[in-house]
Amino acid sequence: MLVAAVNAQTLVDAVGLGAVYALMAVGIGLVFGVLRLVNFAYGQLVMAGAYTLAWTSAWPGAASIAACFAVVLALSIVLERTVFRPLRTQSPAVMLVTTFAVAFLLQSIALILDIRDGTIGEAASPIGSLNQAVSIGGVDVRRVTLAAIVVAAIALGLLALLLARTTMGLHMRAAAADFTTARLLGVRADRVIGLAVILSGLLAGIVAVILTVQSPLVAPDFALKETIVVLVGVVVGGLDRLWTATLGGFAIGFATGVINGALPTDKTVFLPSAVFALVILVLLLRPGGLFAPGGRTAVVERV
Amino acid sequence: MRRLDELLPLLAPAALVVAVGLASTQVSRSWEISFLDALVSVAIVVAIFVFVGNSGVLSFGQISFVAVGAFAAGVLTVPLESKTFVLRDLFPILRDHELGNLTSLLLAAGVGGVFAFLVGLPLMRLSGLAAGIATFAVLEITHNVLREWTSIGPGATTLSLVPETTGPLQATLGALAVIAVAYAYGRSRLGRMLRATREDHAAAQAAGISVHRQRLWAFTLSGALAGFAGGLLVHMLGSITTEQVYLELTFVTLAMLVIGGVTSLWGAVVGALAVSGLDSFLARAEEGVDIGFTLDVPTGTRLVAVGALMALVLVLRPAGLTGGREPTIRRRRTA
Amino acid sequence: MTDAPLLVVDGLDVVYGRVPAIRGLSLEVAAGEIVGLIGPNGAGKSTTLHAIVGLVPPAAGDVRLAGRSLRGRSPEQIARSGIALVPEGRRIFGAFSVEENLRLGLAARRGNGVAAPLDGVYELFPVLAEMRDRPAGALSGGQQQQLAIGRALVAEPDVLLLDEPSLGLAPALVDLVFEALAAIRERGVTVLLVEQRAQRTVAFADRTYVLGNGELRMTLSPAEAGDTDRMIAAYLA
């Protein structure tokens, strides 16, 4: 039955998918923590990185990846200065609509740039060798899946250390918990926000590299579906705290991977509906998220 | 004079709509489609305004109701002879009946309203970010179900052969009807109670207003009007696909409302017409248009322009082109 | 020691929307003083403190620290200039440990202070030392108040502002707070104390301003602490 169809292969791939989604979840969660802003346009940052990789695919690998990071970071900073900062005094709903608009804007700009050569879609191939499979304990694992898991573990581990052990991390956690009081104690708002945006951008760059290896064709809607799924995971996991958001992102990635691997395609057509129905249920019953303690208090308000 | 001032918020947008409707009869066929599209957009955006503008709650899901209205009206007006071949898997009740134009529009409104009521019962407890996300989920669910459930519609294929009954007259009358209902609701006691919850949630509750109930009324009405607009839409296009009533339409109609001014009926109409005008112009410019000289912009400029305009308005003038206020002939007291 | 006051509020106007919360308020605090600020609810006491630390912009008037204007500065800049606020309701970070809360206070510290600033606070409030690794949310109300004060002191401010520190505390704990304030004054920190407990404040502070309806009504000295008639008149004015 369902259990029988889940083999080691599926599990490993699912963990890999969960790892990528966890990275995106952290990227979204970091910015949300300090700005209280859900960045709908996060997928477009990944898309921009992917396009950079595609347009520099003739360059040596390291240079291409460096360009990718440069573009994503620059775009993140520009967005923060021009869009997020002026909106800080607005309600979360207005901020959501604006990032929605920015997402469409960036996607449309990408379309214009992409279609100059007559076709939609560019091919990226930064590290072709990563697509090869390695046999571990009888299971065929693509190198990129391993790389994704390892990179995600390292990145998340480093981030956890940064947040828990350093002064800057303490300031960021305080800003996420109670921004006003943190400022009263001397925490510099612009530094904390700047750091969150840069870290978020770095993670988007990492995701861009991993995703382009897995699916080398880059189109304007690159990472859009993934962003929507990750947002679902983050909300269901719990938007308020970084670790619940990350766990939510990982969980939905893992679940998606398992379900897609285990069930035949014709049985998964209504999967999106089930997932989104779950989101609504969580928002109604446990607005703090599935993993949040108590489940009562949350940034997402209720009547 | 005072009576005129009360009626102006209804007459001004109505006049604009009638003007556009009249103009559409005077232009060439290819331009006529743009004008009709503008009028249907007005209907959709005003439907969205009825809920979003009066409650102050953001909803990404109103296009779901346009979708169900469009598909309901569409499926039930495809001529019977073709329907059995083209839509084989339909439920018998859908397959064996064919409705007239007006009936299909009323059905679309009914389906939209009922769907909105059922969705709104649980969802109207939510505010702010949660409402935005939950209504987005409704949009996704509607899209998914319409796309995969071939017993109620064409699924992923295009629904065509729908009678094209939305000409200048139907579009104008339809838009006027939606505006009139929105105006009447806005001036009614229900509308005022809902706006009170928008201004000061806690105070309104303390005054005995049930926030949940008022929002539910508006949401249901908005759903019915959106469904009706969906009927207008499908009869204008003669066909419909799930992608046409999904993310892009959600974005464009929301942009129209924001750019015009979220909190006023006038803003909804102005925004819809202004952005439609810009959109049509740019759509032509993408093909190359003659305005004295030939203007040729790259494909995709339309959405960039609309997106950029929306982002600019949100950052620089969040109240929109109209400032979110209704038109008045009295000089505004600056206080 | 100079004669010029350390903290000066000069003709301050603060407006919320269209409602004036404070009108033409002027007060001063000299270095080493403890000055009280009392008044009925809604008089504008908290607003005054918020305006000093930059949380609300003044519509008119000025706030000066050691002669330099603080207008237009962000809250974190003002904190780093040597003013610390112990906010109403304490606003500690419940999920962080006591020690982390104190370390957070170091953000406003200006360079060359004592080597181990936390030690000074642990000496003043020994119970915090005992609970240093516990989450701050596990502390009782009185302990949280001590933490909030300690957190502000860690930055070694020149001026300490307190917004109703005795709110919700049992009498024994209120005594503790006032004792701590006395010890703080001995360390050379200037204090502006906003309080509801009128008599206690008037008796304790060097001078006490009485605020009513956003305006300064009168100034009371400790000798007048027993004069209830005068105080009632002040509140009802």
Side-chain angles (χ1 to χ4, degrees):
Chain A
M1 252 201 35
L2 180 61
V3 176
V6 175
N7 55 23
Q9 176 79 63
T10 311
L11 281 178
V12 171
D13 283 340
V15 170
L17 191 62
V20 172
Y21 282 24
L23 287 174
M24 290 181 75
V26 174
I28 293 175
L30 275 174
V31 169
F32 180 78
V34 294
L35 282 177
R36 282 295 180 269
L37 179 149
V38 177
N39 188 6
F40 213 96
Y42 192 71
Q44 270 59 50
L45 291 175
V46 176
M47 174 205 75
Y51 265 109
T52 312
L53 286 169
W55 284 319
T56 60
S57 52
W59 298 11
S64 182
I65 293 179
C68 163
F69 277 100
V71 166
V72 175
L73 282 172
L75 190 56
S76 301
I77 294 174
V78 164
L79 277 185
E80 197 270 313
R81 290 286 159 83
T82 57
V83 178
F84 301 165
R85 196 174 285 199
L87 282 177
R88 252 149 69 178
T89 48
Q90 299 283 358
S91 66
V94 170
M95 292 200 275
L96 185 64
V97 174
T98 312
T99 58
F100 191 58
V102 169
F104 253 92
L105 180 60
L106 291 176
Q107 208 168 318
S108 310
I109 293 178
L111 181 62
I112 294 183
L113 294 176
D114 185 342
I115 213 166
R116 284 174 309 174
D117 60 2
T119 58
I120 300 183
E122 309 280 343
S125 54
I127 314 169
S129 65
L130 277 183
N131 240 336
Q132 294 162 358
V134 154
S135 192
I136 300 182
V139 177
D140 275 335
V141 180
R142 282 200 296 172
R143 285 209 174 111
V144 68
T145 312
L146 273 180
I149 297 174
V150 168
V151 167
I154 294 177
L156 293 177
L158 284 176
L159 188 65
L161 275 177
L162 175 82
L163 286 176
R165 294 292 166 88
T166 66
T167 308
M168 206 54 207
L170 178 63
H171 289 190
M172 277 186 71
R173 282 188 289 136
D178 185 349
F179 209 106
T180 310
T181 306
R183 294 181 79 183
L184 282 176
L185 295 173
V187 168
R188 289 218 182 101
D190 48 351
R191 285 208 187 163
V192 161
I193 292 174
L195 182 60
V197 166
I198 289 178
L199 288 174
S200 174
L202 283 176
L203 290 166
I206 296 175
V207 169
V209 172
I210 296 177
L211 285 182
T212 47
V213 171
Q214 289 176 337
S215 26
L217 189 62
V218 181
D221 61 356
F222 194 82
L224 180 64
K225 251 187 50 204
E226 284 85 344
T227 307
I228 294 178
V229 176
V230 169
L231 275 175
V232 167
V234 163
V235 169
V236 168
L239 200 48
D240 271 356
R241 287 171 203 267
L242 195 56
W243 75 270
T244 52
T246 313
L247 202 54
F250 177 81
I252 208 169
F254 182 75
T256 309
V258 165
I259 292 175
N260 273 329
L263 293 179
T265 328
D266 57 314
K267 291 215 167 21
T268 59
V269 287
F270 286 113
L271 187 59
S273 293
V275 168
F276 283 107
L278 176 67
V279 171
I280 294 177
L281 213 58
V282 169
L283 284 172
L284 287 172
L285 298 176
R286 277 182 78 89
L290 285 180
F291 301 121
R296 280 265 114 215
T297 52
V299 146
V300 287
E301 319 95 69
R302 287 184 48 169
V303 170
Chain B
M1 222 35 174
R2 191 161 163 262
R3 187 105 183 114
L4 181 59
D5 200 57
E6 277 171 13
L7 284 175
L8 200 56
L10 170 64
L11 296 177
L16 271 186
V17 163
V18 169
V20 171
L22 283 174
S24 72
T25 57
Q26 305 302 313
V27 296
S28 67
R29 179 94 182 124
S30 63
W31 275 103
E32 182 189 81
I33 295 181
S34 302
F35 279 79
L36 295 184
D37 192 65
L39 290 174
V40 174
S41 300
V42 166
I44 297 177
V45 176
V46 171
I48 297 177
F49 155 77
V50 163
F51 176 68
V52 175
N54 286 306
S55 70
V57 176
L58 175 68
S59 168
F60 279 111
Q62 306 307 92
I63 298 299
S64 311
F65 312 126
V66 174
V68 298
F71 276 93
V75 163
L76 282 162
T77 50
V78 170
L80 276 177
E81 318 85 66
S82 337
K83 212 190 312 197
T84 17
F85 291 114
V86 173
L87 302 168
R88 286 175 198 281
D89 300 331
L90 277 186
F91 286 128
I93 189 174
L94 297 172
R95 189 189 55 210
D96 301 335
H97 291 90
E98 181 184 334
L99 298 178
N101 178 46
L102 192 56
T103 324
S104 77
L105 292 176
L106 291 175
L107 175 73
V111 172
V114 169
F115 185 33
F117 181 75
L118 293 174
V119 165
L121 269 177
L123 253 59
M124 287 302 101
R125 304 216 171 273
L126 300 175
S127 291
L129 192 53
I133 297 176
T135 49
F136 182 77
V138 170
L139 180 71
E140 290 285 345
I141 293 176
T142 309
H143 174 255
N144 186 217
V145 168
L146 280 174
R147 210 170 157 74
E148 302 295 339
W149 200 7
T150 47
S151 304
I152 56 168
T157 62
T158 308
L159 176 70
S160 29
L161 301 175
V162 176
E164 291 180 28
T165 52
T166 301
L169 185 64
Q170 178 152 308
T172 309
L173 288 181
L176 283 177
V178 175
I179 289 175
V181 172
Y183 173 77
Y185 172 73
R187 285 190 61 87
S188 74
R189 194 159 160 269
L190 292 178
R192 277 183 280 126
M193 284 204 281
L194 183 60
R195 280 199 297 279
T197 71
R198 181 189 74 197
E199 298 309 321
D200 190 330
H201 190 139
Q205 273 188 310
I209 298 178
S210 164
V211 179
H212 176 249
R213 188 178 305 169
Q214 291 313 318
R215 284 184 185 169
L216 187 56
W217 277 123
F219 197 68
T220 307
L221 182 61
S222 171
L225 292 174
F228 177 74
L232 291 174
L233 178 69
V234 74
H235 284 305
M236 180 189 80
L237 296 175
S239 65
I240 194 84
T241 69
T242 52
E243 304 315 287
Q244 285 174 312
V245 280
Y246 185 40
L247 283 176
E248 192 178 311
L249 186 62
T250 301
F251 165 63
V252 171
T253 48
L254 218 46
M256 289 173 174
L257 184 58
V258 166
I259 290 171
V262 179
T263 46
S264 70
L265 176 58
W266 178 232
V269 176
V270 165
L273 291 175
V275 174
S276 283
L278 178 67
D279 196 54
S280 301
F281 178 71
L282 287 176
R284 274 179 178 67
E286 281 177 9
E287 312 287 328
V289 73
D290 184 17
I291 48 167
F293 58 91
T294 316
L295 180 67
D296 195 351
V297 298
T299 322
T301 311
R302 297 168 43 217
L303 283 178
V304 171
V306 174
L309 193 57
M310 182 173 170
L312 249 114
V313 167
L314 280 167
V315 171
L316 296 176
R317 194 179 153 87
L321 287 176
T322 63
R325 292 190 292 254
E326 305 292 353
T328 174
I329 50 180
R330 266 181 292 169
R331 184 144 322 143
R332 215 171 282 284
R333 267 184 315 161
T334 44
Chain C
M1 174 155 139
T2 85
D3 276 316
L6 183 54
L7 177 65
V8 171
V9 173
D10 187 3
L12 186 69
D13 279 356
V14 176
V15 176
Y16 285 129
R18 291 210 196 141
V19 179
I22 296 180
R23 281 177 287 224
L25 178 64
S26 294
L27 54 82
E28 17 183 88
V29 185
E33 276 196 303
I34 292 190
V35 171
L37 184 58
I38 61 174
N41 267 332
K45 312 189 296 293
S46 285
T47 308
T48 306
L49 293 187
H50 289 172
I52 295 175
V53 293
L55 282 181
V56 300
D62 199 11
V63 177
R64 288 191 289 274
L65 178 68
R68 278 171 25 246
S69 170
L70 295 179
R71 257 194 96 153
R73 301 254 213 109
S74 68
E76 54 262 45
Q77 284 173 320
I78 293 177
R80 282 162 190 262
S81 310
I83 298 188
L85 172 67
V86 181
E88 186 181 346
R90 291 151 225 147
R91 309 208 64 112
I92 57 156
F93 293 88
F96 298 5
S97 72
V98 166
E99 178 133 328
E100 278 186 316
N101 269 273
L102 290 175
R103 272 179 50 214
L104 204 45
L106 290 172
R109 201 154 160 251
R110 298 158 290 168
N112 41 351
V114 296
L118 265 63
D119 290 348
V121 170
Y122 285 138
E123 206 185 298
L124 186 60
F125 300 120
V127 71
L128 294 182
E130 277 171 43
M131 314 268 277
R132 73 171 74 185
D133 292 321
R134 304 277 303 279
L139 268 54
S140 73
Q143 292 164 341
Q144 285 187 0
Q145 189 59 65
Q146 294 175 54
L147 176 58
I149 297 176
R151 185 181 63 182
L153 287 177
V154 149
E156 298 182 336
D158 293 327
V159 179
L160 185 65
L161 310 172
L162 296 108
D163 199 345
E164 306 210 25
S166 71
L167 193 64
L169 295 185
L173 294 169
V174 176
D175 288 339
L176 203 76
V177 168
F178 276 88
E179 276 164 28
L181 288 177
I184 288 168
R185 190 235 301 258
E186 256 158 62
R187 291 170 178 213
V189 181
T190 309
V191 173
L192 177 60
L193 172 66
V194 162
E195 258 300 339
Q196 281 270 23
R197 293 169 193 271
Q199 263 188 313
R200 185 113 193 218
T201 306
V202 174
F204 178 76
D206 297 327
R207 269 178 306 127
T208 303
Y209 292 102
V210 182
L211 215 57
N213 237 334
E215 292 172 336
L216 191 58
R217 297 280 175 215
M218 64 177 71
T219 314
L220 297 171
S221 69
E224 293 163 298
D227 193 344
T228 27
D229 288 338
R230 206 148 176 243
M231 247 186 296
I232 291 174
Y235 267 58
L236 292 177

